[in-house]
Amino acid sequence: MKVEDFNYELPEELIAQTPLQKRDESRLMVLDKNTGEIEHKYFRDVLSYLHAGDTLVLNNTKVLPARLYGEKEDTKAAIEVLLLKNVKGDIWECLVKPARRIKKGTVVVFGNGKLKASCVFVGEDGIRHFTFSYQGIFLEVLEELGTMPLPPYIHEQLEDQSRYQTVYAKEVGSAAAPTAGLHFTKELLDEIAQKGVNIAYITLHVGLGTFRPVNVDNIEDHEMHSEFYQMSSEVADILTETKKRGNKIISVGTTTTRTLETIMSLYHEFRSCSGFTNIFIYPGYEFKAIDSLITNFHLPKSTLVMLVSALAGREHVLHAYKVAVDEKYRFFSFGDAMLIQ
């Protein structure tokens, strides 16, 4: 299967640069995965597609304000450091620009010395490991000095940093937001719960690999990035009971989907577990966990378009994307949403 098979034409002006003032006023395209039939709604209308006994599963990861701007301690050269994941203790794997300036032993200073990073490992493609030194609590220092690591296709500054977090974000560790969840408000989640729908949370810490282009011709040759996931026994029980009753599991986002499908693929049941997943879902994959998916509109030729196509069929998805372009839907992280059912 060719990567080019998942390409589509997208005018640049349809890439949303800022979030809407109200989260749940984004548009919602409802796609029937079996027939390809399309409905045009608003996100708050998602309530009418959820039924008592169903379970809505959300990713409660929280984005680190992981982009830091500093300078080399010796030469004062400007350095940008993006935290990717915690290795252990105060050692973090980071992406650095310009990487050529950072050798083993190089020290980078942030916030007039409030935070320092000493390079302890030099990897490929701009990857470095730093040991961070600071006074107080690391996450509080990050909150003060760091900024949100917005995707490369967003060129405007975010006035309110919280708009790149879901309203239910809890577990700190992501380098990018699980953007399908950005449409939910606390009020909408309350209404969903009052309707008798279960709301369950898993964790998958989103890595920057989610933005990396697929640089092969054949899908089968692509190597997926690895991300940490976790599910509690309480959530596993809720999902198991949902399946037994014959109700639906509605996954919010591709990150949630990858977590649920990983667990079912490994254990053939929902269970309390954690680990790293590099599951790659593309057409031909047989879904074992989810019934429906709430997601955003994704980049051409991306692994996310491939995942959505595995659920609804490539032809249906590409047709839906063409309709979305014609109807001037907003695309990508701050864009509109799609419900595939």
Side-chain angles (χ1 to χ4, degrees):
M1 199 175 298
K2 298 290 186 184
V3 172
E4 191 60 39
D5 293 339
F6 298 87
N7 199 5
Y8 67 91
E9 292 295 323
L10 178 67
E12 193 169 338
E13 64 266 21
L14 295 184
I15 300 173
Q17 293 296 313
T18 54
L20 294 181
Q21 189 171 1
K22 294 187 177 178
R23 291 174 183 260
D24 61 356
E25 288 186 355
S26 56
R27 294 167 76 186
L28 177 70
M29 176 184 284
V30 182
L31 174 64
D32 187 309
K33 65 188 178 190
N34 298 312
T35 66
E37 184 181 339
I38 290 170
E39 296 177 86
H40 300 287
K41 302 286 184 177
Y42 287 93
F43 193 79
R44 57 183 173 269
D45 298 325
V46 76
L47 189 63
S48 63
Y49 295 92
L50 305 174
H51 305 287
D54 290 345
T55 298
L56 185 73
V57 192
L58 305 116
N59 182 4
N60 66 0
T61 189
K62 190 172 186 178
V63 186
L64 284 163
R67 181 168 272 125
L68 292 161
Y69 296 96
E71 59 185 26
K72 286 182 67 175
E73 191 173 49
D74 52 0
T75 67
K76 308 302 180 188
I79 302 292
E80 178 184 333
V81 173
L82 182 62
L83 278 67
L84 298 180
K85 64 183 179 186
N86 184 239
V87 178
K88 63 177 180 180
D90 287 321
I91 301 175
W92 285 76
E93 180 181 296
C94 302
L95 187 64
V96 181
K97 293 181 186 175
R100 69 180 186 279
R101 293 184 181 272
I102 306 299
K103 309 286 193 293
K104 195 170 180 180
T106 300
V107 176
V108 183
V109 179
F110 311 94
N112 295 317
K114 285 185 180 179
L115 181 65
K116 289 188 177 184
S118 178
C119 181
V120 294
F121 170 78
V122 175
E124 297 179 353
D125 301 322
I127 297 294
R128 301 289 187 271
H129 289 187
F130 287 102
T131 298
F132 285 89
S133 56
Y134 49 91
Q135 293 291 320
I137 299 169
F138 184 61
L139 289 178
E140 290 181 358
V141 176
L142 264 191
E143 290 284 351
E144 180 185 349
L145 300 179
T147 60
M148 283 295 174
L150 295 178
Y153 45 75
I154 292 177
H155 308 299
E156 294 191 21
Q157 291 296 313
L158 189 60
E159 290 182 11
D160 178 2
Q161 298 278 336
S162 71
R163 289 308 305 272
Y164 196 59
Q165 299 278 22
T166 61
V167 296
Y168 47 83
K170 181 182 177 185
E171 303 294 337
V172 177
S174 273
T179 54
L182 295 178
H183 305 281
F184 287 93
T185 62
K186 289 179 178 175
E187 293 76 16
L188 180 57
L189 287 169
D190 286 344
E191 285 186 68
I192 290 169
Q194 288 163 15
K195 194 173 180 179
V197 177
N198 302 299
I199 298 177
Y201 297 96
I202 57 86
T203 303
L204 181 136
H205 291 321
V206 188
L208 278 193
T210 193
F211 300 121
R212 287 210 174 114
V214 180
N215 291 322
V216 294
D217 293 328
N218 295 310
I219 286 176
E220 294 83 358
D221 297 332
H222 178 65
E223 286 189 26
M224 280 292 284
H225 55 287
S226 181
E227 294 167 321
F228 176 80
Y229 71 88
Q230 189 168 314
M231 178 190 281
S232 69
S233 57
E234 292 81 5
V235 168
D237 290 344
I238 291 169
L239 294 172
T240 299
E241 288 302 313
T242 304
K243 283 283 191 192
K244 280 184 183 174
R245 286 194 308 269
N247 285 101
K248 289 186 175 181
I249 293 174
I250 301 98
S251 175
V252 177
T254 57
T255 61
T256 302
T257 301
R258 293 178 68 238
T259 301
L260 298 180
E261 293 298 327
T262 292
I263 293 168
M264 283 296 276
S265 295
L266 286 174
Y267 306 112
H268 310 291
E269 64 176 2
F270 295 115
R271 62 163 67 172
S272 172
C273 58
S274 64
F276 287 85
T277 179
N278 63 349
I279 191 171
F280 184 15
I281 297 174
Y282 55 88
Y285 177 84
E286 196 170 311
F287 284 84
K288 305 164 186 66
I290 74 163
D291 300 292
S292 302
L293 171 65
I294 295 169
T295 189
N296 281 19
F297 291 90
H298 304 294
L299 277 73
K301 300 193 287 186
S302 65
T303 60
L304 307 182
V305 168
M306 295 168 196
L307 183 152
V308 171
S309 297
L311 183 63
R314 186 180 72 91
E315 292 79 8
H316 288 167
V317 168
L318 290 181
H319 173 68
Y321 273 49
K322 184 179 185 308
V323 171
V325 169
D326 292 343
E327 295 291 327
K328 296 197 165 22
Y329 274 69
R330 302 166 78 245
F331 279 67
F332 305 164
S333 296
F334 288 140
D336 294 316
M338 174 187 276
L339 166 62
I340 299 173
Q341 61 166 7

